[in-house]
Amino acid sequence: MKYLDEFRDGPKAQKLAEQIRRMVTRRWHIMEVCGGQTHSIIRYGIDQILPPEIELIHGPGCPVCVTPLETIDKALAIASRPEVIFCSFGDMLRVPGSQGDLFTIKSRGGDVRVVYSPLDAVRIAQREPDRQVVFFAIGFETTAPANAMAVKLAHRLGLKNFSLLVSHVLVPPAIEAILNSPHNRVQAFLAAGHVCSVMGYWQYPPVAKKYRVPIVVTGFEPLDLLEGIRRAVAQLESGRAEVENAYPRVVSYEGNQAAQAVIHEVFTTTDRVWRGIGRIPRSGWRLRECWAQFDAECRFGLQQLQVEESPVCMSGQVLQGLIKPPECPAFGKQCTPRTPLGATMVSAEGACAAYYNYGRHRQVPVSQ
Amino acid sequence: MNQNRDSVQMQGPVCPVPLRQYPEVVLGHGSGGQLSQELIEHLFVPAFDSPQLRQLGDAAVLSVNAGPVAMATDAFVVQPLFFPGGDIGCLAVHGTINDLAMMGAMPVALTAAFILEEGFSMETLAQVVRSMAQAARKAHVPIVAGDTKVVQRGHGDGCYITTTGLGVVPSGVAPAPQKAVPGDVILINGTIGNHGMAVMSVRQGLEFESPILSDTAPLHLLVQRILEVCPQVHVLRDPTRGGLAATLNEIAQAAQVGILLDEQNIPIQPAVQSACEMLGLDPLAVANEGKLIAVVPPQDAPKVLQVMREHPLGRQAAQIGQVVADHPGMVVARTPIGATRVITTQIGEALPRIC
């Protein structure tokens, strides 16, 4: 398949791995920020072909995983209302809240629908004017432009029955939070290519400079990831701390300015709680006051909810890269994708699910 | 082809209340009374047109040669009812034929039960029935008995079909998942994921340059060819729901053997691959309706592969892996970059990813 197969080429991947092997002189910890990158690394076994000195730490870049429990509980409360059609991306449906998940609500008669775009939810609102249509607007900077467009479209259509439950999170403040943590082990970052396709990478040079940390904008295919890792290792080995773009076929320095404009027209920065990590200042987006009529939290008058996380789940430490999923005592035992205790086990991009689904909890001897 | 067989007789000489007075299914069509009779006489009997069905008895009487017989039943609830490459009608015929074929059986007859929702379009029902009849005729497997029930509006999803099939198993033929042994070769008769992605693309309103067609097809004649050259085939399975991943895991667990796949050798149409990439699905976990996995001793693999490739339903047949003694109960794939990953069975419905 064009644009994919050429980035999955086995011999080229081995060649890049060999270059990294020749370059590396000591142990390095590199964090891939995005859950999509984690998925790819485990899916293709990229960590298996890297030299043992390179440890990849899986970052908090899975929007499903970091959406706070309180927001999930709000989604469950809204979706339970008889007048509501609750629209969501598919992988949010199995994320456990305090009392079940969206599948549970659906089985009890809640109208929960999987959509592929918030614009589909707007169309449902148009078709069903007597129902309240709520879209679960979660995600990083990548999904924000479409959500902003949906709000503007609903406004233009004069829809009074469309709203968003917003829980947007932002990558750069999360990177800074990790770097500020006293437990931080990350020495270089692979920045999330899709986020940068929207936002560019103009936000990163001050971070690289302030914390003396290499940041390489990286894609998602095996060769993209290996090239990102190669550049990060090259910087680490030569003592540089710069921002590099290893995904230029998609990402530019400025990013998609039209998308950024529509985001800033609709959203404003806010503090956000990250599930398993805690509150990070100015790390999220919420609807601006002038768009409050499209805010599901206002529309349904949801109060602060009291929530309690599973006491055994260590997803917070997984999300911060402090432990690998199998180091959690619940991993693969009480906690499996069928019985997830934390969101990292639910989403395909969650580090725990990636480890579980690709069998990293089992020792697999394979004769070559 | 006889026109009367393929179209609905909305009005007939014996029918005082023609079907055309009911453009939609009403509760009476499942009552066992006159309306039920009309449905049978004007729709099902002419379409399926088997001697046994024409008897209109409580059961069909069949003559089969003595020996082991196989029975299978399967329920069909697919939405939408019509999708590129097929519909619920032909799917219901192929699904049960294939379940029989995977036991090495030659299907003899099918029965069909319909659960219809009050208000379901009679013309749509006729289309479904026509498609079933055509599929059964093409497969040379008659539909010999049936039943229809109607549920109240809102209590069904238009049309559900259950088919049951009877087949005769040739002596000495007994493929079973437990029979896979290390050294065996794993073959598939073509590309994976077509059915699941065809249905999904309609559900999600996705359009591709070349439409993805369901692979729904009856596999019994292909199986007969395989049995001719390899009567001792160890395992035959059709990777339907749960896809190749679920089927191979079942085999690995049943036989307590390992399975080692070469991911690059698994045939996938580019359009299916793209659709899976877009939706964040693993093609290995996507449903097929016209595919079979044959696990055969290594010495038989070349001739089985050859007869598969000579058959219209096996043109793209490929050897995709082997049975190994390592990692019993597990399916492991070599990835394109030379690493390995474990292939697990999906938990529930496949959930598309966010980004």
Side-chain angles (χ1 to χ4, degrees), chain A residues 88-159:
Chain A
S88 169
F89 293 128
D91 45 1
M92 289 308 289
L93 265 60
R94 218 157 34 210
V95 179
S98 301
Q99 313 276 329
D101 56 21
L102 284 166
F103 272 124
T104 319
I105 302 297
K106 189 165 155 54
S107 72
R108 290 180 191 152
D111 193 344
V112 179
R113 302 187 193 178
V114 172
V115 294
Y116 281 86
S117 157
L119 301 175
D120 292 342
V122 174
R123 273 189 283 276
I124 294 172
Q126 258 184 303
R127 274 202 309 270
E128 309 215 27
D130 299 333
R131 308 280 304 278
Q132 283 292 330
V133 176
V134 181
F135 180 73
F136 201 176
I138 71 143
F140 281 90
E141 292 92 330
T142 336
T143 51
N147 291 339
M149 290 286 292
V151 168
K152 289 186 67 175
L153 179 63
H155 176 67
R156 200 165 68 231
L157 295 169
L159 296 179

Side-chain angles (χ1 to χ4, degrees), chain A residues 1 4-5 8-11 13-14 34 36 39 42-46 48-49 63-64 89-94 103 114-116 120 138-139 142-143 194 221-223 226 336-338 346-349 356-368, chain B residues 197 200 203-206 249 253 259-260 263-264 268-275 277-284 322 324-355:
Chain A
M1 203 181 350
L4 286 179
D5 288 343
R8 293 175 183 174
D9 184 274
Q14 291 294 347
C34 174
H39 184 81
I42 308 294
R43 160 79 178 72
Y44 290 98
I46 289 168
Q48 294 174 21
I49 67 168
V64 174
F89 293 128
D91 45 1
M92 289 308 289
L93 265 60
R94 218 157 34 210
F103 272 124
V114 172
V115 294
Y116 281 86
D120 292 342
I138 71 143
T142 336
T143 51
H194 288 161
E221 295 303 323
L223 296 193
L226 285 162
T336 68
R338 195 187 304 187
V346 175
S347 162
E349 291 176 13
Y356 192 93
N357 289 332
Y358 294 129
R360 290 304 176 82
H361 56 306
R362 302 184 262 197
Q363 289 300 314
V364 189
V366 176
S367 337
Q368 291 300 312
Chain B
M197 294 320 293
M200 188 98 63
R203 275 191 204 154
Q204 306 302 341
L206 300 179
N249 270 290
Q253 277 153 28
I259 287 179
L260 185 57
E263 255 196 301
Q264 281 171 299
I268 304 181
Q269 256 177 22
V272 171
Q273 180 78 46
S274 315
E277 297 279 350
M278 274 174 58
L279 300 178
L281 302 173
D282 186 348
L284 267 65
Q322 54 184 319
V324 294
D326 292 337
H327 51 81
M330 288 169 65
V331 181
V332 173
R334 277 191 227 278
T335 73
I337 65 165
T340 58
R341 66 164 171 140
V342 174
I343 310 278
T344 52
T345 305
Q346 206 121 26
I347 301 161
E349 206 174 337
L351 297 174
R353 290 211 311 273
I354 286 184
C355 55

